[in-house]
């Protein structure tokens, strides 16, 4: 009985495995960080890593800049309250080590032979906004880092404790979006290496799909021209497609990341399989 329906059983098993493999596709992780290709035993790599740690040179990778337009002016109490609320929210998040904002910084001054500190912007005292703004815009260390050139937008700088993986960043980013909506800050611009990386990954996925479709068309045309048979095309292409999906699903299930090198795997697998299939069929025809 089992032998009689061997093909049907194999086909159903293959389809089930293919379905389960496709289900895990969204769990694929991508990492195109060139630093991971550096040889770990190299003295240059060790020196570079020591430099990064000593001078905290990886801060750009762990930073997010949030630019908030101020339509009614930056030194507007309503806007400053929103800015301060956002700063407090960000400071309370577990992945954040520090938040820099004009609403949570202090300025140091010297009077009566001693050092004193006050808030850079005294939010609860609108009558002092003019004085605070004059002080800020006479200090390049403030206005160059926290204000746009036209002085119509203000920036927050967020530093993460460690580089976040995609799932952690997505959790944080979703919380941030909810908070921005809550504060009615819909025109915010967010600058982050992680967001650029995610956009890059999405573009790679699109290009991979486009490349796969074009490759499949060329393979199909080439196969038909060589063997003059569409029937011989179906099983090899199906087997190759299932193999590719299964390989990717194994990588997703085992939390393996797709990097610059492993992204070449599908191309190598396709080339190897097709070469082998053509060779076997060619031998049979002889």
């Amino acid at each position: 009985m089992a032998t009689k329906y061997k093909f049907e059983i194999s086909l159903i098993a293959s389809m089930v495995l293919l379905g389960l493999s496709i289900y895990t596709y969204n769990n694929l992780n991508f990492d195109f960080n060139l630093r991971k290709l550096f040889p770990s035993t190299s003295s240059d790599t060790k020196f570079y890593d020591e430099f990064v740690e000593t001078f905290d040179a990886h801060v750009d990778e762990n930073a997010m800049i949030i630019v908030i337009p101020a339509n009614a002016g930056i030194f507007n109490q309503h806007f400053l309250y929103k800015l301060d609320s956002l700063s407090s929210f960000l400071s309370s998040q577990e992945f954040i080590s520090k938040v820099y904002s004009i609403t949570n910084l202090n300025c140091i001054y010297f009077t009566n032979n001693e050092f004193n500190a006050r808030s850079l912007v005294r939010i609860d005292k609108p009558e002092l906004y003019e004085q605070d703004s004059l002080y800020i815009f006479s200090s390049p260390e403030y206005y160059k880092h926290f204000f746009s050139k036209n002085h119509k937008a203000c920036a927050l700088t967020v530093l993460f404790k460690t580089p976040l993986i995609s799932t952690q960043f997505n959790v944080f980013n979703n919380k941030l979006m909810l908070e921005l909506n809550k504060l009615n800050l819909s025109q915010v611009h967010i600058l982050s290496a992680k967001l650029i990386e995610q956009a890059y990954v999405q573009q790679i996925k699109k290009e991979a799909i486009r490349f796969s479709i074009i490759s499949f068309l060329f393979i199909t045309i080439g196969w038909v021209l060589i063997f003059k048979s569409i029937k011989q095309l179906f099983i090899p292409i199906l087997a190759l497609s299932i193999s590719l999906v299964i390989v990717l699903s194994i990588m997703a299930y085992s939390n393996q990341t797709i990097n610059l090198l492993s992204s070449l795997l599908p191309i190598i697998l396709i080339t190897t399989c097709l070469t082998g299939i053509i060779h076997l069929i060619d031998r049979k025809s002889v």
Side-chain angles (χ1 to χ4, degrees):
M1 184 71 175
T3 305
K4 182 179 179 181
Y5 296 102
K6 184 177 179 180
F7 175 77
E8 289 80 0
I9 293 172
S10 300
L11 182 62
I12 293 172
S14 299
M15 292 300 101
V16 171
L17 184 59
L18 181 62
L20 292 174
S21 300
I22 293 173
Y23 178 75
T24 62
Y25 176 75
N26 288 331
N27 295 326
L28 279 171
N29 294 316
F30 295 81
D31 186 358
F32 295 98
N33 188 348
L34 290 175
R35 285 188 57 191
K36 294 191 176 180
L37 298 179
F38 295 174
S40 58
T41 56
S42 168
S43 59
D44 290 333
T45 301
K46 291 178 180 178
F47 176 81
Y48 176 77
D49 289 337
E50 288 175 3
F51 175 86
V52 167
E53 291 302 321
T54 302
F55 296 98
D56 198 22
H58 52 57
V59 65
D60 289 342
E61 298 177 9
N62 294 344
M64 171 185 280
I65 298 175
I66 304 174
V67 182
I68 308 170
N71 297 324
I74 291 173
F75 289 92
N76 173 282
Q77 192 172 40
H78 184 61
F79 174 78
L80 290 173
Y81 273 135
K82 285 186 177 184
L83 196 62
D84 191 49
S85 296
L86 181 59
S87 301
S88 299
F89 164 79
L90 292 168
S91 299
S92 67
Q93 300 304 302
E94 60 175 320
F95 300 127
I96 305 301
S97 63
K98 187 67 178 177
V99 177
Y100 293 98
S101 165
I102 60 170
T103 61
N104 66 5
L105 292 176
N106 291 327
C107 63
I108 310 299
Y109 59 97
F110 188 75
T111 56
N112 298 325
N113 296 322
E114 61 181 16
F115 286 100
N116 295 278
R118 67 165 178 83
S119 297
L120 185 62
V121 177
R122 288 161 283 194
I123 301 176
D124 294 324
K125 297 180 178 179
E127 67 275 11
L128 298 177
Y129 284 177
E130 183 177 355
Q131 180 181 334
D132 292 342
S133 65
L134 288 173
Y135 177 82
I136 289 173
F137 289 112
S138 65
S139 308
E141 66 272 20
Y142 292 124
Y143 73 78
K144 284 188 176 181
H145 291 90
F146 291 98
F147 297 90
S148 60
K149 289 185 177 180
N150 61 7
H151 301 160
K152 292 183 179 180
C154 193
L156 287 173
T157 300
V158 180
L159 298 183
F160 297 104
K161 293 176 182 177
T162 57
L164 302 184
I165 61 175
S166 295
T167 52
Q168 291 175 325
F169 182 82
N170 289 335
V171 168
F172 166 75
N173 197 48
N174 289 337
K175 288 183 179 179
L176 174 59
M177 291 300 106
L178 289 174
E179 185 65 19
L180 291 174
N181 289 332
K182 179 182 173 183
L183 294 172
N184 195 27
L185 295 172
S186 58
Q187 298 179 332
V188 168
H189 303 282
I190 300 176
L191 307 176
S192 169
K194 198 67 181 179
L195 286 175
I196 294 173
E197 178 186 318
Q198 289 183 339
Y200 179 55
V201 168
Q202 291 300 320
Q203 185 62 31
I204 287 176
K205 287 183 178 180
K206 291 179 182 178
E207 291 297 322
I209 293 172
R210 188 166 67 91
F211 171 78
S212 299
I213 293 173
I214 294 173
S215 298
F216 178 78
L217 289 175
F218 274 100
I219 290 169
T220 302
I221 294 170
W223 194 282
V224 172
L225 290 175
I226 293 171
F227 297 103
K228 306 292 192 297
S229 172
I230 297 177
K231 182 180 178 181
Q232 287 184 323
L233 174 69
F234 178 73
I235 296 299
I237 292 297
L238 179 62
L240 179 58
S241 301
I242 293 175
S243 299
L244 281 172
V245 174
I246 291 173
V247 168
L248 292 175
S249 70
I250 291 172
M251 294 183 70
Y253 185 76
S254 59
N255 292 323
Q256 297 294 318
T257 58
I258 295 180
N259 53 35
L260 288 170
L261 294 179
S262 59
S263 63
L264 299 175
L265 178 63
I267 300 173
I268 296 171
L269 188 57
I270 288 173
T271 305
T272 304
C273 288
L274 287 177
T275 302
I277 291 168
I278 292 172
H279 178 67
L280 288 174
I281 294 179
D282 190 47
R283 285 186 61 184
K284 285 183 180 180
S285 63
V286 173

